[in-house]
Amino acid sequence: MSVDITLDKLSQFFSFNNGHGLLSILVLCILFFFLITLVLFFFAVFLRIKNKLITQQDIHFQKNWDSVFLEVMHDRIHPFDGYKKLKKKHSIRYLFYLEEYVDLLKGKEKERLLTLGRLSLKKVYRYLCSRDHGKIIYGIHLIGIFHPEEQYKFLMLNTNDINTTLTAIREMHAVDDISIKEQLVKILFKLPNISYIYISNLLVEMGNDIVPFLRQVIKNRFTAPNEQMIAIETVRRLHNMECLDLSEKVLTQAQDPGVLSSWLRYLEDQKDMNQLELIRPFIEHPNPHVRTAAIRVYLGLSDTLSAEDILRIFNDSDIIVPINAVEIIARSRTFPYLSTGSIENLKWKDIYKEVLI
Amino acid sequence: MIKDILFSTITVFNYVVLIYFITMNIWYFVLNIIAYRGLKSYLVRLKVVSPNDKILMKSAPPVTLLTPAFNESQNCIKSVKSQLKIKYPDMKILFINDGSTDDTLEKMLTTFKMEPAFLPKVSQLETKDVKQIYQSQIYPKLWLIDKENGKKADALNVGINYCQTPLFCAIDNDSMLEEDSIARVVIPFIEDVRTIVSGGIIRIANGCKFENGHIQKVDLPRNIWARFQVMEYLRAFYGGRLAWDRLDASLIVSGAFGVFRHSIVVAAGGYLHETIGEDMELIVRLHRYCGDNHIPYKIRYLPDPIAWTEGPTTLKTLGKQRDRWQRGLLDSVLRHIGMLLRPKYKKVGMLAMPFYFIYEMIGPFIEVIGYVAFLLLLLTGNASTAFIVVFLLVSIVMGMCLSVFTLVLEEISFHRYPKFKHMLNLIFVALVENLGYRQMNSWWRIKGTWSYMRKNQSWY
């Protein structure tokens, strides 16, 4: 009986006709969402006004900042005196604006502005202890620019957060201390999924100091091909010859196609004639990227092109081999004769004909 | 008796509509909140990682821009000139003339001094025949492929076959990319090698001023239909795609602007010829391909690389566009219906597919049938006028609330519409669009579904 009454009440409550209950809920919904809309509307207006004000303020402050930066840059005043003349000198906006100048400068001018920036870092240090992820990132970025060694102390505590760590390391290529550099390289090696080219470009910024460390990686880390690949790519991009003597070890012990093709590209760049015999077998390697790299370096170094080479390249199972070989073949001084019939039988004859033209 | 059954059915259906409506709006609010959080952390990142960063750009992979064009004589030169101004270290432009019957080819050949050239075909996706390949003598990075007509998907597949770079960017011929759009959109590929697709935001170009293919002044369109679309695009890209990106379940990367990893697209079979929504279908297929083959992958959406595109300005063309979108959506979801609620496809199968199926695909039906059912209840005296009015008001206020939320997202992020009156105008649009425009959209989508079903009876 009581269940029936409850159900009756419920059905009346939710009735479309007489159910004042449902109607009341819907009216409450209208009021609630209308209120939220109103709040959001005023928030949007507030944001717009705030953005406008910030833009206007920036224009005003930038006039002051510009004049001080120029005076400090040209050594007309000492950074300490410049600091005293600055308005809003502890704001993040100021430091980001100063960063724009620092990015464009080199040498002593840059150094002077960095000194000026360092004087305003007090607030930024507090950011590093903040719970706000954004503030931490800003802090790392700005300290990375103005005081990289200091930033490293913080970095030691945060290696689990990939984004923050990567941001930190990006800003720290200017660091002088070799032991810190080595630590950074180790951290970079641990970051998964980041393009190895990107990491090697970050390492290139650290300069030739890290080559001995990278050499050790190339020599011993055959169980970590990704680290080896990054190390080889960095050495190649640094145009450093100190690792050439590792050729035999790498080419005989490495199994990973990425490591092999990276090493072959390194040899191509270094143009070391002594390695020809070691390279030759890789022309028939099962991986097309290794074959491509081997053919490029082999043809580039030997400067002789036989009919057999042509047949091998233009009958390769993968098109990337002839496409990548074309540039080297076109440079070759000797060009073997191939009959029209054998040209027509080539798998990639279109590409070959283009080389002939 | 029959009257009673009919009445009960309509009443039950109305409860379904009510529940559907409540859950849908909860979903949209949740998506907006996720988008807000995502946007905030993205903005922090943007402040410290510039797309022009020296190290990032040194690591930027080469990209080929694929621009399919059919009878684009009026736009082609302007659009290619704007593409030539894009700042990116290693970029090739491949203009694909899809058998145009106007003077698109002649204009391109003469304006850019194009001569026949050779480009090796690197993949073998099935396409219509290529007639000739040309290379510009003025801009060596500009190439043109003249092919037989085979529609957009076929033209894009030809581009993919001749793409020599690890990444390609598919764009519409009438879209104009901002100078740093490509540099911004490739960042996910550099920072995470699992990235296979990355897309940017599309904004309505109507009303904006362009000079030499580049945006000079951002303004709102005078045309009311285009203005509605500004709001719609903002809502879709901020509230929708950004949230789905945060959830790692993006199902759409706009065909007007998206960068793809060449190797994975070729492995998945390229664009599908026999679909009208080739962009969405490809993304869903890539999810499926990677899920089936256990390939770790990421499909990303970024809110700052911008492509400006002209929106339709008449009801007829707008209706046709929405009809086409709905058919594309239906086709993509139904083709891959096997992914629905399959844990193998992770959030895509368990979250995104059900969402698109329930709210985007059958949503318009429920909305329009709901209007009819409420009308019937009202006419038969089984529902009070007060209830109907209140229900409609709830729907309008919730719609407004979501739109204003989107405007807040625009304000905290890029606020590209600079004037105060722009914002007030958009708020006005957010209010008005619920009174007719939204209903028209639902109608167009129903029409789209109907035309899809008529042409594809075998599917049902």
Side-chain angles (χ1 to χ4, degrees), chain A residues 251-300:
Chain A
L251 292 176
T252 51
Q253 289 187 24
Q255 300 293 317
D256 185 81
V259 173
L260 287 171
S261 40
S262 291
W263 190 261
L264 290 165
R265 279 199 297 272
Y266 173 54
L267 293 181
E268 185 188 350
D269 279 10
Q270 295 304 324
K271 298 187 173 48
D272 186 357
M273 292 291 281
N274 303 324
Q275 318 288 339
L276 266 178
E277 282 316 301
L278 273 171
I279 296 163
R280 175 109 204 149
F282 291 96
I283 290 176
E284 286 166 30
H285 194 275
N287 183 289
H289 295 281
V290 178
R291 281 202 304 276
T292 305
I295 285 168
R296 280 184 65 97
V297 60
Y298 189 79
L299 295 183

Side-chain angles (χ1 to χ4, degrees), chain B residues 244 249-251 340 346-357:
Chain B
W244 288 115
S250 297
L251 273 194
L340 195 75
K346 296 176 185 165
K347 285 178 197 156
V348 175
M350 302 303 286
L351 215 62
M353 286 290 276
F355 177 87
Y356 275 87
F357 187 81

